[in-house]
Amino acid sequence: MTYHAKVVSGHVALPEDLRREAGIEDGDSLVVEVDPNGGLTMKTYAQVVREVQSEFRAMAVPGSAPEDRNLVDELIAERRADAARENAKLEEWQSRQTS
């Protein structure tokens, strides 16, 4: 279906039917892109996030991150272990300096 939108003082007014069909609600942030032919593509922020998440999922190596794995917790544990090793080295160095 084709809709008519009007630009007034730099604001684009979208018809209610179009907003409803596209799932655009008051207060939504929209991302507007200009294609190589000069046309416009308009998406909600939520649509862009879903597209990016889908692209990243497609790049994931199957079996590399099982659903029951929490990669954030693993990263935090690794960083804490690194910090503990660094602190141990520092304490060892400081004890040699005072001996």
Side-chain angles (χ1 to χ4, degrees):
M1 178 172 262
T2 301
Y3 296 95
H4 173 78
K6 189 170 185 172
V7 179
V8 178
S9 299
H11 297 271
V12 179
L14 302 175
E16 183 179 352
D17 292 345
L18 171 61
R19 292 192 315 267
R20 186 177 21 247
E21 185 177 328
I24 299 170
E25 301 195 13
D26 274 350
D28 282 352
S29 292
L30 300 176
V31 177
V32 181
E33 297 174 330
V34 179
D35 67 36
N37 298 323
L40 299 176
T41 302
M42 188 178 305
K43 300 175 185 177
T44 65
Y45 179 77
Q47 289 170 319
V48 173
V49 168
R50 284 192 301 271
E51 288 177 6
V52 170
Q53 288 172 338
S54 176
E55 289 178 26
F56 274 99
R57 276 190 208 98
M59 290 188 290
V61 177
S64 65
E67 296 299 320
D68 60 339
R69 237 174 115 185
N70 187 327
L71 298 178
V72 172
D73 287 343
E74 288 181 28
L75 176 62
I76 291 170
E78 287 175 14
R79 288 303 303 133
R80 285 182 177 154
D82 289 344
R85 280 191 295 276
E86 290 171 11
N87 286 339
K89 286 181 183 178
L90 178 60
E91 288 174 7
E92 180 184 327
W93 179 81
Q94 288 173 334
S95 69
R96 283 194 311 251
Q97 298 304 313
T98 57
S99 310

